[in-house]
Amino acid sequence: MKDYYEVLGVTRSADKEAVKKAYKKLAKKYHPDVNKTPEAEKRFKEVQEAYEVLSQDESRQSYDRYGERWRERTQGRDEEAWGRGPQGGGYWQEGSGNSRGTSASGYDGMGGGFGASGGSFEDLFGDLFGGGWGDSRGQADMEAELALTLDDAVRGGKVQISVDGKSLSVKLPDSIKDGQRIRLKGMGHPSRDGQAGDLYVTLRIKPDPVFSADGYDLSAELVVAPWHAALGTETKLRLPGGSSLKVKVPEGMDGGQKLRLAGKGLRKPDGAYGDLYVRLKVTVPRAGSDRIRELYKQLAAEQPHEPRFTGPSSN
């Protein structure tokens, strides 16, 4: 008889969650609805039997104490009353209506109903783990997230995504915004009828050092000195995707005011573009020399401006 811990690939100190996780992984791998190799059904039965014993406190404690004779010991039966099942799987007892053996539909583990050939993904993973696998296309669908830079979102093309250990090539749509969901037909889990479900990928825009995205609009902050705000200025801005444009700041702008650059945001599904909003932030450089300090004094004398307190609504 094989060691149940070895069958599931866990240590003897593994908690219930680790046992459940190991079982789920192996059951997916060897379920006959998916794995058609000759040894798959046998391995699936072993995995089910091991999980049935190790997932329950009472049976696990008995197994840890008595090993392969745990059923005999815990039920007070002598060795002659027990034997191997007619199909070679699990223990059975003649005359008992509570058999634990291999029936025509496979090993009757977990209280029955999940036989190797009599139970589907829908039965097994729907009841035990909250769905996500099954006979229907909807239950075989998968969900994933793909994080993109703004440059990726604007350039488009193909990117690689890893799902369940597989690397997939995904063609990005022409129009992308944060939270957008795309469907990749036939790239989900296999279902019992042989047709794969779909993979739904949620696109996420990574934080950018310059821009923030709100739907298809972009925002950025431009830091200027007081004389830039007073006299106006011009600077170059690199846009996501690699192109650039000149941003002209008109004279007399206050800190906090915004410039709207129409059509310089992200592409929309109809082919139009969102807008780019540039918020002005005025910063005062330190007087790094006596000459600059004198110029500040001269400016203060020639352009008086009394300090004053204002409320939030006055900003």
Side-chain angles (χ1 to χ4, degrees):
M1 183 176 178
K2 290 188 177 181
D3 186 295
Y4 288 147
Y5 292 98
E6 290 183 1
V7 170
L8 294 182
V10 298
T11 65
R12 290 186 171 270
S13 61
D15 59 18
K16 281 188 176 182
E17 189 60 34
V19 170
K20 184 176 180 180
K21 183 177 180 180
Y23 165 71
K24 182 179 178 182
K25 179 180 179 180
L26 292 172
K28 287 180 183 179
K29 180 178 180 180
Y30 292 110
H31 196 288
D33 285 348
V34 174
N35 194 327
K36 305 300 182 182
T37 59
E39 68 275 9
E41 183 173 344
K42 179 182 177 181
R43 286 286 288 123
F44 184 71
K45 294 174 187 176
E46 292 175 348
V47 168
Q48 279 194 301
E49 184 176 356
Y51 179 71
E52 178 192 20
V53 175
L54 299 185
S55 63
Q56 305 296 324
D57 292 337
E58 185 177 351
S59 58
R60 182 173 178 175
Q61 290 171 6
S62 297
Y63 177 74
D64 288 344
R65 184 174 182 182
Y66 299 116
E68 66 181 72
R69 296 165 65 92
W70 72 275
R71 293 181 188 270
E72 170 191 339
R73 294 287 187 177
T74 54
Q75 296 190 20
R77 309 291 186 183
D78 58 34
E79 190 169 357
E80 287 73 22
W82 290 85
R84 299 299 295 173
Q87 302 290 333
Y91 281 99
W92 65 286
Q93 182 184 11
E94 284 194 19
S96 171
N98 188 28
S99 64
R100 277 285 184 259
T102 303
S103 65
S105 63
Y107 181 79
D108 187 26
M110 264 100 60
F114 297 124
S117 60
S120 69
F121 269 143
E122 181 175 11
D123 298 328
L124 183 60
F125 297 107
D127 290 350
L128 287 180
F129 303 107
W133 295 74
D135 294 329
S136 66
R137 292 294 302 279
Q139 289 174 318
D141 291 341
M142 297 173 61
E143 295 279 349
E145 282 197 357
L146 176 60
L148 302 169
T149 65
L150 271 174
D151 283 337
D152 292 333
V154 171
R155 288 171 181 157
K158 291 185 177 181
V159 295
Q160 297 297 120
I161 181 173
S162 180
V163 179
D164 279 2
K166 296 180 181 179
S167 182
L168 305 175
S169 180
V170 177
K171 185 180 185 304
L172 298 177
D174 293 332
S175 173
I176 293 177
K177 69 175 180 177
D178 185 62
Q180 184 173 336
R181 199 162 175 254
I182 60 175
R183 174 192 177 204
L184 303 178
K185 188 176 180 180
M187 298 181 75
H189 291 304
S191 59
R192 196 178 184 189
D193 62 7
Q195 294 186 357
D198 298 329
L199 171 61
Y200 290 89
V201 181
T202 300
L203 304 178
R204 296 295 182 189
I205 304 297
K206 295 179 182 179
D208 186 88
V210 175
F211 300 97
S212 59
D214 181 12
Y216 299 104
D217 291 334
L218 296 176
S219 297
E221 189 172 73
L222 177 60
V223 181
V224 298
W227 48 88
H228 293 143
L231 303 175
T233 189
E234 184 178 288
T235 187
K236 183 180 288 187
L237 174 64
R238 180 193 177 277
L239 295 174
S243 63
S244 61
L245 60 79
K246 288 183 179 180
V247 178
K248 293 184 178 181
V249 178
E251 64 178 69
M253 283 194 69
D254 289 328
Q257 286 188 293
K258 292 181 179 180
L259 296 170
R260 174 175 172 262
L261 304 177
K264 299 302 179 182
L266 300 177
R267 178 176 174 141
K268 298 180 180 180
D270 62 2
Y273 285 82
D275 299 328
L276 169 61
Y277 294 89
V278 178
R279 180 179 179 273
L280 212 64
K281 180 179 179 180
V282 179
T283 185
V284 180
R286 292 179 177 273
S289 68
D290 292 340
R291 170 62 177 163
I292 294 177
R293 183 177 295 276
E294 288 301 319
L295 290 174
Y296 277 168
K297 289 180 179 181
Q298 183 179 346
L299 176 61
E302 296 185 11
Q303 182 72 51
H305 183 81
E306 290 295 326
R308 68 183 187 276
F309 294 100
T310 63
S313 62
S314 302
N315 290 339

